[in-house]
Amino acid sequence: MADPMRIRAQVAGDKATVRVLMAHEMETGQRKDAAGKTIPAWHIQDVTAQHNGKTVMTAQWGPAVSKNPFLQFNVKGAKVGDKITVSWVDNKGEKRSDEATVS
Amino acid sequence: MQNRREMLSRSAQVAAMLVAVGLVPGWAQAQAAGYNSAAFAAKTLPELMKSLGAGAPAESKDVSVTGPDIAENGAVVPIGAATALPGVKRLLILVEKNPAMLAAIFDVTDAIEANLSTRVKMGQSSDVYAVAMMNDGKVLFARKEVKVTLGGCGG
């Protein structure tokens, strides 16, 4: 399984700012290795964010998202103690899901 | 007039066709539910909008794209897309001169603000677009030029 994500969710007024740092290679499929062979694409395709179990955002990513992707979004009405869950699936079918508590 | 043997081989062909038509999309869906690979392969804006089933985009002041004027490292360019308009369905981040324009699609709900930031890769200096697709079918965009210096060619 892939390395855990780092998720930080902080209350700012009536919303919470969520910052996520995922650990993923995000290979574009454009680069070539030393032997001149194309390195196959390997990137996160689907991202889902949940607030207390309710999906608030989904995303589809292409290979143009940077290595070890960063994502920031604001959840309206989130309070201290709420749970934020972020999960992703890559094009090889690997998955990762992590949870953080709003502080 | 068909004889029995012909009939049998025909129906086998039809069955094979049904399998090909019916199962291949199913397999593609299973690989990534709803992943729009056509959109991520699109090279031009009209092609991309067609693959997403959207109309022609219009430039709008209500959508904003944030990013550096000059990015030192094209592998990590912080880009934000935001709009204050209500009724946003999707936000897209596009990099015009990348091999494929589309970097990311965000399907937003009312529970989050239409204000997202991420980091993208850029092959060369290019315009970056933030596109907002609204519930009423309007497509609005904002663009910004980002110069990429890394590459050893002096930008």
Side-chain angles (χ1 to χ4, degrees):
Chain A
M1 198 155 187
D3 290 333
M5 280 178 257
R6 283 161 56 189
I7 307 174
R8 171 174 285 189
Q10 277 178 318
V11 168
D14 57 350
K15 64 195 184 197
T17 304
V18 181
R19 294 185 185 88
V20 189
L21 201 55
M22 307 171 193
H24 201 283
E25 209 54 45
M26 299 300 281
E27 193 58 61
T28 58
Q30 307 276 341
R31 296 198 310 154
K32 293 190 167 64
D33 64 13
K37 279 198 211 123
T38 306
I39 306 169
W42 179 29
H43 59 91
I44 294 176
Q45 285 193 324
D46 289 283
V47 182
T48 309
Q50 292 182 316
H51 171 219
N52 284 344
K54 181 175 154 269
T55 301
V56 291
M57 186 202 68
T58 56
Q60 296 175 41
W61 284 359
V65 175
S66 295
K67 179 177 177 175
N68 296 332
F70 167 79
L71 171 65
Q72 180 180 329
F73 57 93
N74 298 320
V75 180
K76 290 181 199 161
K79 294 182 288 292
V80 174
D82 284 2
K83 294 261 186 281
I84 300 287
T85 314
V86 179
S87 28
W88 56 253
V89 183
D90 70 18
N91 64 334
K92 290 183 181 171
E94 252 180 79
K95 290 171 198 205
R96 174 90 214 174
S97 183
D98 285 290
E99 193 177 72
T101 311
V102 178
S103 60
Chain B
M1 192 67 189
Q2 291 172 326
N3 62 28
R4 190 182 149 85
R5 182 167 300 191
E6 261 176 347
M7 278 293 279
L8 279 173
S9 82
R10 286 261 165 94
S11 53
Q13 276 172 10
V14 170
M17 271 165 63
L18 283 179
V19 166
V21 171
L23 282 190
V24 169
W27 171 80
Q29 288 241 319
Q31 205 175 26
Y35 187 71
N36 195 337
S37 8
F40 282 99
K43 305 228 174 332
T44 62
L45 197 54
E47 218 177 291
L48 172 65
M49 287 302 147
K50 204 176 146 203
S51 65
L52 291 167
E59 195 152 9
S60 164
K61 286 197 194 83
D62 297 316
V63 179
S64 67
V65 55
T66 51
D69 294 327
I70 297 177
E72 285 179 9
N73 183 356
V76 189
V77 185
I79 298 293
T83 176
L85 295 172
V88 186
K89 191 168 67 174
R90 276 189 157 171
L91 281 171
L92 318 180
I93 295 178
L94 318 178
V95 182
E96 192 177 20
K97 288 188 186 158
N98 269 6
M101 275 191 99
L102 184 60
I105 303 177
F106 297 96
D107 286 303
V108 298
T109 63
D110 291 338
I112 71 161
E113 285 181 359
N115 181 353
L116 293 145
S117 314
T118 186
R119 292 178 190 152
V120 300
K121 293 174 204 155
M122 292 179 64
Q124 55 178 308
S125 299
S126 157
D127 278 355
V128 176
Y129 292 71
V131 181
M133 294 168 70
M134 316 300 285
N135 282 331
D136 59 9
K138 273 193 217 144
V139 183
L140 307 168
F141 75 89
R143 69 172 134 193
K144 175 182 172 62
E145 194 192 4
V146 177
K147 286 201 163 73
V148 177
T149 51
L150 189 85
C153 315

